[in-house]
Amino acid sequence: MPNEAANQEQSFLIELLKATYQNQEIYPILQHNSSKINDNLALILRKWVSKRFAKEPANAINLARVIVKLSKIIQGFEQGNFASNLEIAIAIGLFTSNYL
């Protein structure tokens, strides 16, 4: 079932990105899915974003802005593992800084 878990994590990521883009409240989504906020989330995000940037380079800057915003939200999320939240935020920020 690793493929199913990866699909769920990617769906969670897309939900977060959409909610961030639409300026929705993110913390309830994070609280409901706190088990998915782990070091693997940054890895999944980097893979997904790399593919997305390659497919739609014209949208890379806008997507990078949404990702940076999400990174700041995750960094401020007080539940879950603080170190993991910070690691995700840093990894996301470093990855997208090349596009801003």
Side-chain angles (χ1 to χ4, degrees), residues 34 37 77-85:
S34 61
I37 304 170
F77 185 57
E78 295 180 357
Q79 295 181 347
N81 183 311
F82 175 77
S84 190
N85 293 354

Side-chain angles (χ1 to χ4, degrees), residues 61-72:
I61 291 175
N62 290 331
L63 182 55
R65 287 183 179 135
V66 171
I67 293 167
V68 168
K69 183 177 177 182
L70 176 59
S71 170
K72 290 176 184 178

Side-chain angles (χ1 to χ4, degrees), residues 34-54:
S34 61
S35 65
K36 295 176 185 158
I37 304 170
N38 54 44
D39 295 339
N40 197 41
L41 182 62
L43 177 63
I44 290 169
L45 178 62
R46 282 192 295 260
K47 288 180 180 179
W48 184 85
V49 170
S50 291
K51 290 178 186 175
R52 193 66 152 194
F53 283 178

Side-chain angles (χ1 to χ4, degrees), residues 4-75:
E4 183 178 330
N7 287 340
Q8 289 177 353
E9 290 174 337
Q10 185 170 324
S11 293
F12 169 59
L13 171 64
I14 292 168
E15 178 184 7
L16 282 176
L17 291 170
K18 283 182 181 178
T20 303
Y21 176 75
Q22 296 170 349
N23 292 315
Q24 295 176 1
E25 182 60 39
I26 304 299
Y27 287 131
I29 298 170
L30 294 174
Q31 290 169 338
H32 187 266
N33 295 281
S34 61
S35 65
K36 295 176 185 158
I37 304 170
N38 54 44
D39 295 339
N40 197 41
L41 182 62
L43 177 63
I44 290 169
L45 178 62
R46 282 192 295 260
K47 288 180 180 179
W48 184 85
V49 170
S50 291
K51 290 178 186 175
R52 193 66 152 194
F53 283 178
K55 280 184 179 179
E56 300 177 34
N59 292 327
I61 291 175
N62 290 331
L63 182 55
R65 287 183 179 135
V66 171
I67 293 167
V68 168
K69 183 177 177 182
L70 176 59
S71 170
K72 290 176 184 178
I73 292 169
I74 289 175
Q75 185 177 357

